Amino acid sequence: MSENSRRSVLLCSLPALILSAACLLPYLNKAFTIDDPVFLLQAQQIRKEPLHPMALDVCWMGDTVCGPVAQNMPGNVLMSYFLVPVANRAEPERLAHLMQIIALWCGIAATVSLAFRFDFGTFAACAAGLLVAATPPVLAMASTAMPEMLAMSLGVIGIERLVAWKKDGRVLNGAVSALALGLAPIARVHLVFLWPIAAVLLRDDARIFDVRGWIALPKRRWIPLMAAAFVSLAALALTHEPGSGLKPPHMYLVPLEAFHNLGSYLTYWVLAMPLGLAWLILRNRRVRFSSLSIGLGLLPVLWRVFIQHGPVFWTTLFVAVGAVLLMDVLLWGFRSRDQWRIVCTLWLLIPLVALPYIHLPVKYLVPCAPAAALLIADLLPAFRWRMAALC
């Protein structure tokens, strides 16, 4: 990246960095959340035994359910290594929250840089950074000591450097991409599904179902993704304890919750993430009839599934709107025949792998925030000109 390009990324990132700092810096001394101590305890364990972060026992529910950490959670230990500098401090809150803000800033800058690599204009690239900084779940998780910020930033950095590797073939870009994409699943396990999505960007076209095209790709392009798999496997092998590995413990897998979790996933995109309302406004009358038909056709099913959960009408309505939204995003992405749009639409689907989990909290969507921001930012310039014409 040239000096002018770096300057453009910095200038476009600056408003988003200022916004996130204004939202988060007043809460530097905020107390830790209920799950944060698990990662802090592992950080203390790392200081004693660097390759055994999960070799300790915890009590999860009062004093009745106690046991090894490795048997109660997947091996997403990267956040614990990240927290090692604060592990033995008397008042670690300030430094831990500051480190999270810095991780968020890295993710914002990588999102802006990725927007430029996808040929966004300055206005759209700046908007992408601001959208990430203004995403409510992103700000909420940046005020904790949990791994969502690390996972999000590593994911978007890995994708951005992969695009750079494809363009210039520099070893450093490939190495950074491999390291970031390889470590992202060690922060949050479901980021492993970012690898096949990232592979779409290695192609020279958007014909992702063309098997011959995949075979014909230069073998050198695959090096960062193969190296990413090696990084993940090496990290898992070095830090593994007898337990569940990277998969959730069986006690937390409840397949019967999948339908309810699907409703939560769809509702989050409408109410919690900036994609929903912004997409429907920016797309306006161009939301495809096929998307509306599928969403309306799902209404009876959704009503039946969610009849026992809370306010039925509103729950069903928001789930249906979420279904229409996601269907339209997917159809728009694939019909555009544009690689980056296909990648971003698939990126949004990664949290679906957590449907059989005991619950699906909104934090699982945080690593998808850069993709949602890029999709919305791509529509903004045309909408801006339409509004200017109306005025």
Side-chain angles (χ1 to χ4, degrees), residues 30-37 40 86 92-94 96-97 143-145:
K30 169 181 171 287
F32 289 120
T33 65
I34 190 170
D35 288 335
D36 293 351
L40 290 162
V86 307
E93 291 88 352
R94 288 183 183 275
H97 293 321
S143 67
T144 71

Side-chain angles (χ1 to χ4, degrees), residues 47-385:
R47 293 180 69 92
K48 295 184 287 185
E49 298 182 78
L51 295 182
H52 298 280
M54 305 182 80
L56 70 159
D57 291 344
V58 294
C59 296
W60 290 89
M61 299 177 185
D63 295 327
T64 58
V65 182
C66 302
V69 172
Q71 295 179 12
N72 286 277
M73 64 182 291
N76 48 354
V77 298
L78 188 65
M79 189 64 194
S80 301
Y81 284 95
F82 187 67
L83 291 172
V84 165
V86 307
N88 287 341
R89 287 177 173 264
E91 297 181 357
E93 291 88 352
R94 288 183 183 275
L95 183 55
H97 293 321
L98 182 60
M99 291 168 66
Q100 287 282 67
I101 294 172
I102 293 172
L104 171 58
W105 286 349
C106 292
I108 290 170
T111 302
V112 172
S113 180
L114 189 58
F116 279 120
R117 292 195 180 278
F118 289 154
D119 296 322
F120 281 34
T122 301
F123 172 76
C126 293
L130 281 167
L131 284 165
V132 173
T135 299
V138 168
L139 291 173
M141 297 313 298
S143 67
T144 71
M146 297 182 69
E148 273 62 39
M149 281 306 94
L150 205 53
M152 183 196 82
S153 296
L154 287 171
V156 69
I157 289 170
I159 294 289
E160 193 273 339
R161 289 294 90 187
L162 187 70
V163 176
W165 155 264
K166 178 186 172 184
K167 182 177 180 180
D168 59 29
R170 292 179 58 192
V171 173
L172 180 60
N173 289 333
V176 173
S177 176
L179 192 62
L181 290 175
L183 290 177
I186 310 301
R188 274 297 180 201
V189 177
H190 56 291
L191 267 293
V192 71
F193 291 94
L194 195 55
W195 299 350
I197 294 171
V200 175
L201 292 171
L202 297 179
R203 293 183 59 96
D204 295 317
D205 55 50
R207 297 165 60 192
I208 65 172
F209 300 109
D210 176 21
V211 177
R212 291 183 179 179
W214 288 109
I215 297 173
L217 278 179
K219 302 301 183 285
R220 186 173 183 271
R221 288 191 188 176
W222 292 99
I223 293 176
L225 290 182
M226 291 189 293
F230 174 80
V231 168
S232 282
L233 290 173
L236 182 62
L238 288 171
T239 61
H240 178 69
E241 299 291 334
S244 63
L246 281 179
K247 66 180 185 299
H250 65 87
M251 70 185 81
Y252 299 124
L253 294 176
V254 186
L256 292 177
E257 289 295 317
F259 284 114
H260 187 249
N261 287 341
L262 177 60
S264 298
Y265 167 82
L266 294 172
T267 304
Y268 292 151
W269 285 119
V270 178
L271 297 180
M273 304 293 283
L275 179 67
L277 184 60
W279 183 269
L280 295 175
I281 291 174
L282 294 174
R283 288 278 287 163
N284 201 351
R285 291 187 294 270
R286 291 194 296 275
V287 174
R288 294 189 176 273
F289 177 75
S290 52
S291 304
L292 291 172
S293 301
I294 292 170
L296 293 174
L298 284 174
L299 273 175
V301 178
L302 296 171
W303 183 277
R304 176 62 179 164
V305 170
F306 299 105
I307 193 79
Q308 300 174 351
H309 299 282
V312 176
F313 174 76
W314 291 110
T315 300
T316 306
L317 175 64
F318 287 125
V319 172
V321 172
V324 171
L325 168 71
L326 264 294
M327 186 55 60
D328 191 64
V329 172
L330 284 168
L331 291 174
W332 174 82
F334 277 91
R335 286 174 176 169
S336 71
R337 299 184 182 277
D338 192 307
Q339 287 170 283
W340 81 261
R341 290 190 176 106
I342 293 174
V343 165
C344 286
T345 56
L346 294 175
W347 198 336
L348 303 180
L349 303 181
I350 290 177
L352 288 174
V353 301
L355 288 184
Y357 196 57
I358 194 170
H359 67 154
L360 200 155
V362 71
K363 67 183 181 181
Y364 288 177
L365 274 65
V366 167
C368 307
L374 289 167
L375 289 170
I376 292 300
D378 182 49
L379 298 179
L380 279 173
F383 184 80
R384 178 191 183 193
W385 289 117

